Amino acid sequence: SPETEISETIPDIKTYKTEIVTATTNVNIRSSNTTESLRIGELKLNESAIKILTNDNWTLVKTSEQIGYVCNDYLTSSNSYIESVYIHTKQNDIAITTSELNIRNNPTTEADVIKTFENNTELEVIAKVDNGWLLVKNNGIIGYVHGDYTISILESAKEQYPDLNIKDL
């Protein structure tokens, strides 16, 4: 009988193309998707940032220093991409910290800590990251926390009131 070749396959790490956007003028980076929100930084003319999420009028971008919102009117696609190993899914939820919790500038424990939140801090969830992290906002600070150390208000409501048939927002 013919011998069967046995080979071990190593699973590929899935990578995603993440778009790079470029500022068409000097533009403010804001803590929320409104012109009234806190200015937390600036993209200068022709500076680039990584696009995380976009909606009708605003794009959530990441620079080397921060994460924030830029009005779409002042951004253009650079037609270039970087490879990322995670994707963001837009989420509307509130997460409550279940312990003291670090907020970081990338969704990994190796990333720099921006701030440490106390137990029972309410965080606005902007996006879920496919590696268990959440992109959150609290008092104008935007960054990543690990979902294992939070309680989702949306998930809690679904469990507590199954008859209401609560949908993800």
Side-chain angles (χ1 to χ4, degrees), residues 8-99:
E8 288 184 2
T9 58
I10 298 168
D12 290 332
I13 293 175
K14 197 164 193 148
T15 58
Y16 305 92
K17 283 188 174 181
T18 303
E19 187 176 2
I20 304 293
V21 290
T22 304
T24 57
T25 184
N26 291 351
V27 62
N28 291 326
I29 298 173
R30 299 199 173 268
S31 64
S32 290
N33 55 349
T34 67
T35 53
E36 293 78 36
S37 64
L38 183 69
R39 179 189 180 278
I40 58 173
E42 180 181 47
L43 268 184
K44 301 226 182 278
L45 172 66
N46 295 326
E47 269 188 339
S48 295
I50 299 167
K51 178 169 94 172
I52 297 175
L53 292 170
T54 192
N55 67 17
D56 296 339
N57 301 313
W58 293 84
T59 296
L60 186 60
V61 300
K62 183 176 185 323
T63 67
S64 55
E65 287 88 40
Q66 69 222 131
I67 301 166
Y69 293 89
V70 176
C71 181
N72 291 344
D73 295 345
Y74 308 110
L75 293 174
T76 186
S77 173
S78 65
N79 294 316
S80 62
Y81 297 83
I82 62 159
E83 286 198 349
S84 174
V85 293
Y86 48 82
I87 56 171
H88 293 76
T89 305
K90 188 168 171 44
Q91 193 76 24
N92 291 309
D93 194 5
I94 301 292
I96 310 292
T97 59
T98 57
S99 65

